[in-house]
Amino acid sequence: MIKILIVEDEIPMLQGLKDNLELEGYSVDAASNGKDGLEKIKKNNYHLIILDVMLPECRDLIYAVQ
């Protein structure tokens, strides 16, 4: 199964993306800030990460993903 992480601080956007992707059959984790997103990246392997690049902690997440 495809595993996706969404990192988004706007909760309605985060929930909407998560709900729609789950309806399509994907396994989706969500984080509402960069710190939580980074912790999830360290503990899990994701096929795709949807990242709000305007998050204050975004630089750390981008380096972690690379």
Side-chain angles (χ1 to χ4, degrees), residues 3 6 17 19 25 27 37 39-40 46 49 53-54 64:
K3 190 165 178 112
I6 304 169
L17 285 168
D19 290 346
S27 173
E39 289 302 312
K40 289 181 183 286
Y46 294 100
I49 298 172
V53 297
M54 299 303 290

Side-chain angles (χ1 to χ4, degrees), residues 25-46:
Y26 297 105
S27 173
V28 181
D29 287 341
S32 61
N33 60 62
K35 182 180 176 188
D36 291 345
L38 187 57
E39 289 302 312
K40 289 181 183 286
I41 290 168
K42 289 177 181 178
K43 294 178 183 176
N44 299 285
N45 291 317
Y46 294 100

Side-chain angles (χ1 to χ4, degrees), residues 1-63:
M1 176 176 281
I2 301 290
K3 190 165 178 112
I4 299 172
L5 172 64
I6 304 169
V7 184
E8 170 62 63
D9 61 346
E10 294 184 29
I11 302 303
M13 175 70 77
L14 175 66
Q15 195 60 53
L17 285 168
K18 185 176 187 303
D19 290 346
N20 282 298
L21 289 167
E22 287 176 338
L23 283 172
E24 293 296 325
Y26 297 105
S27 173
V28 181
D29 287 341
S32 61
N33 60 62
K35 182 180 176 188
D36 291 345
L38 187 57
E39 289 302 312
K40 289 181 183 286
I41 290 168
K42 289 177 181 178
K43 294 178 183 176
N44 299 285
N45 291 317
Y46 294 100
H47 296 95
L48 175 68
I49 298 172
I50 300 172
L51 174 62
D52 176 355
V53 297
M54 299 303 290
L55 287 172
E57 307 94 349
C58 182
R59 180 176 292 150
D60 293 339
L61 285 169
I62 291 172
Y63 289 133

